[in-house]
Amino acid sequence: MKIKSLHIKNFRCLVNVKIDFDDVTVLLGENNTGKTSVLDALQLITAMGSQKRKESVNEYDFYMPTAASDPKKSDPIIIEMIVEESKPAEWDEEIIQALGDILQTDIETEIKSINLKYSLQYSAEVKRFKPEWVFLTNGNVEISSSKYNLSQFLNYIPTFYLEALRNLNDEFSSRSQFWHKILRSLEIPEEQKDAIIQQLENLNKELLSIDPKLKAVEENLKNLTKISATGPGQEVSIRALPMQIWDLLSKSNIAIKGQYDGTSFPIRNFGQGTQSLSVLFLFQAFIEQLLKINFNEFSEPVLALEEPEAHLHPQAARALWRQIEQIPGQKIITSHSPYFVENVPLSKLRFLKRNLDGVKVYSIPEYFSIYLEANEKLSRF
């Protein structure tokens, strides 16, 4: 499944914007033309899924044409997303069975599609901004569907967001959206687990025996049992190493060996460009190893990627396009780098530009045709 288009209304500077997407789409434009807002709109409409960037929307996310505009009285934010087959009978029978209630089929082309609409406006009844998701027919008629339909549908297009300022400490922590799941998915046979725990225990004792000062500290800490209600028979010891394998793995680090002296350094000691790339490759590993396990067999990921070239040398930015192409799933990317963009096929570019009547999206079609009257010059050509 892939997203065919996104139609955004009254969201920040995007008053009425429709964007068509390819397998890879690159959004270009000056600052404040709405590139990041497109990615955020995608996050809003897929926010019922497990991977969401924003918990809520605030008043400043509404389009306000004047300083006196009141978000509570403004037109609602509306985002419509169409997911469509690229050719007839592309979707597996399991998808059709699971989503039959919300599937639409074009009579002429026999191409199946799903149209999801997200709206947000202030509700005086509940005194807050209330979001709503509904499915539509090809004729824009609302389909009665449950939240189960929505959750199940979004499971087929899990959406992930990587911001321009990718924080290595967040992405490689025990709570990260990718690293955490990879660590938790590791399966260690029980006999090996017991052996590793014993090795950790032995190594911990060896480390503590290196200097008698540590033993002295440990002896002092044992006084805890005399004062604190830790319970009878409780022991106090210093742990130089984690006591559990999962705890040890959660503190795993990425290291890069130096080119000349062979010394290894944590990736946190390298520049922002290298750190940013490591997060991108971590995402690729997660998609290749765990996507089907965490979602389902027919899930196709959508990656919303903000400025992947950030902090990169021009040569690295040029090579980045080939790597992004290899990441499974659909990619929607914003960029400011001419070095990155020079490798992108023209048909995959979308140009966002502010006009007097709002932001407009321009693109170069793969082909177009016009009718020309026959004449002598044309015949000679």
Side-chain angles (χ1 to χ4, degrees), residues 317-349:
R318 288 190 178 99
L320 184 60
W321 169 253
R322 292 190 296 273
Q323 185 62 44
I324 288 177
E325 277 191 305
Q326 295 173 16
I327 297 176
Q330 187 174 19
K331 282 81 67 175
I332 301 171
I333 303 163
T334 68
S335 178
H336 284 287
S337 170
Y339 305 106
F340 174 75
V341 171
E342 69 183 24
N343 294 282
V344 181
L346 294 177
S347 62
K348 299 185 183 300
L349 300 177

Side-chain angles (χ1 to χ4, degrees), residues 150-303:
L150 178 61
S151 177
Q152 194 174 35
F153 164 61
L154 293 176
N155 215 32
Y156 285 100
I157 52 165
T159 304
F160 304 89
Y161 187 97
L162 290 180
E163 296 175 298
L165 299 176
R166 291 175 276 282
N167 190 317
L168 200 70
N169 292 324
D170 291 341
E171 297 298 345
F172 281 93
S173 74
S174 58
R175 296 187 181 92
S176 72
Q177 56 179 332
F178 309 129
W179 186 238
H180 168 74
K181 289 185 174 66
I182 291 173
L183 293 180
R184 288 295 182 181
S185 71
L186 299 178
E187 298 180 2
I188 304 173
E190 286 299 323
E191 60 273 13
Q192 285 184 264
K193 187 183 296 183
D194 293 339
I196 293 171
I197 290 174
Q198 187 58 54
Q199 290 173 26
L200 287 173
E201 186 67 33
N202 294 339
L203 183 56
N204 190 71
K205 290 180 180 178
E206 185 176 343
L207 288 170
L208 295 180
S209 66
I210 291 174
D211 193 310
K213 288 193 289 291
L214 285 174
K215 192 65 179 175
V217 172
E218 186 177 68
E219 290 299 321
N220 278 276
L221 289 172
K222 287 182 178 179
N223 289 320
L224 279 171
T225 60
K226 300 176 182 179
I227 302 173
S228 177
T230 56
Q234 297 297 306
E235 293 187 0
V236 178
S237 62
I238 296 175
R239 302 297 308 190
L241 294 172
M243 294 178 286
Q244 300 294 332
I245 296 176
W246 58 264
D247 194 17
L248 179 67
L249 287 171
S250 70
K251 295 175 174 59
S252 301
N253 203 343
I254 308 298
I256 299 178
K257 185 175 288 188
Q259 182 177 358
Y260 301 106
D261 59 5
T263 305
S264 294
F265 293 96
I267 197 168
R268 291 177 178 82
N269 288 48
F270 288 81
Q272 288 293 329
T274 302
Q275 293 187 30
S276 180
L277 281 177
S278 70
V279 176
L280 188 60
F281 295 138
L282 174 64
F283 168 78
Q284 184 173 357
F286 170 80
I287 293 301
E288 293 174 350
Q289 301 297 325
L290 290 180
L291 181 79
K292 307 298 182 184
I293 297 173
N294 280 267
F295 296 93
N296 67 56
E297 181 184 355
F298 300 101
S299 296
E300 293 191 55
V302 179
L303 173 60

Side-chain angles (χ1 to χ4, degrees), residues 345-360:
L346 294 177
S347 62
K348 299 185 183 300
L349 300 177
R350 304 291 182 268
F351 302 88
L352 279 72
K353 185 176 181 181
R354 275 184 181 269
N355 295 327
L356 293 176
D357 53 348
V359 174
K360 298 294 181 183

Side-chain angles (χ1 to χ4, degrees), residues 15-253:
V15 183
N16 189 357
V17 169
K18 183 178 180 181
I19 303 181
D20 294 321
F21 297 119
D22 290 317
D23 288 353
V24 185
T25 304
V26 178
L27 307 178
L28 304 175
E30 297 177 0
N31 291 331
N32 299 316
T33 54
K35 301 185 299 298
T36 299
S37 295
V38 173
L39 302 188
D40 287 343
L42 178 62
Q43 291 298 296
L44 280 179
I45 196 169
T46 59
M48 289 291 288
S50 60
Q51 302 295 332
K52 60 180 181 179
R53 181 189 180 208
K54 290 185 174 298
E55 296 295 332
S56 61
V57 180
N58 63 45
E59 286 84 349
Y60 290 103
D61 287 318
F62 283 80
Y63 171 67
M64 291 182 283
T66 68
S69 298
D70 184 354
K72 293 181 179 180
K73 299 177 182 178
S74 297
D75 291 334
I77 293 173
I78 295 177
I79 305 166
E80 289 188 31
M81 179 175 70
I82 296 178
V83 175
E84 187 177 276
E85 290 181 312
S86 58
K87 59 183 179 181
E90 179 184 36
W91 291 346
D92 190 89
E93 186 63 30
E94 180 180 314
I95 298 175
I96 297 171
Q97 290 293 330
L99 304 176
D101 293 342
I102 57 175
L103 281 177
Q104 302 295 301
T105 303
D106 188 281
I107 299 176
E108 295 182 2
T109 65
E110 297 185 349
I111 288 179
K112 298 178 182 63
S113 63
I114 297 173
N115 187 350
L116 176 63
K117 177 183 175 181
Y118 165 91
S119 61
L120 181 76
Q121 63 186 126
Y122 185 77
S123 170
E125 182 180 350
V126 296
K127 292 182 170 52
R128 63 180 176 85
F129 291 97
K130 186 177 179 181
E132 184 179 13
W133 287 262
V134 296
F135 291 100
L136 303 175
T137 67
N138 289 341
N140 285 325
V141 177
E142 184 177 326
I143 301 172
S144 298
S145 58
S146 65
K147 286 186 177 180
Y148 172 76
N149 291 122
L150 178 61
S151 177
Q152 194 174 35
F153 164 61
L154 293 176
N155 215 32
Y156 285 100
I157 52 165
T159 304
F160 304 89
Y161 187 97
L162 290 180
E163 296 175 298
L165 299 176
R166 291 175 276 282
N167 190 317
L168 200 70
N169 292 324
D170 291 341
E171 297 298 345
F172 281 93
S173 74
S174 58
R175 296 187 181 92
S176 72
Q177 56 179 332
F178 309 129
W179 186 238
H180 168 74
K181 289 185 174 66
I182 291 173
L183 293 180
R184 288 295 182 181
S185 71
L186 299 178
E187 298 180 2
I188 304 173
E190 286 299 323
E191 60 273 13
Q192 285 184 264
K193 187 183 296 183
D194 293 339
I196 293 171
I197 290 174
Q198 187 58 54
Q199 290 173 26
L200 287 173
E201 186 67 33
N202 294 339
L203 183 56
N204 190 71
K205 290 180 180 178
E206 185 176 343
L207 288 170
L208 295 180
S209 66
I210 291 174
D211 193 310
K213 288 193 289 291
L214 285 174
K215 192 65 179 175
V217 172
E218 186 177 68
E219 290 299 321
N220 278 276
L221 289 172
K222 287 182 178 179
N223 289 320
L224 279 171
T225 60
K226 300 176 182 179
I227 302 173
S228 177
T230 56
Q234 297 297 306
E235 293 187 0
V236 178
S237 62
I238 296 175
R239 302 297 308 190
L241 294 172
M243 294 178 286
Q244 300 294 332
I245 296 176
W246 58 264
D247 194 17
L248 179 67
L249 287 171
S250 70
K251 295 175 174 59
S252 301
N253 203 343

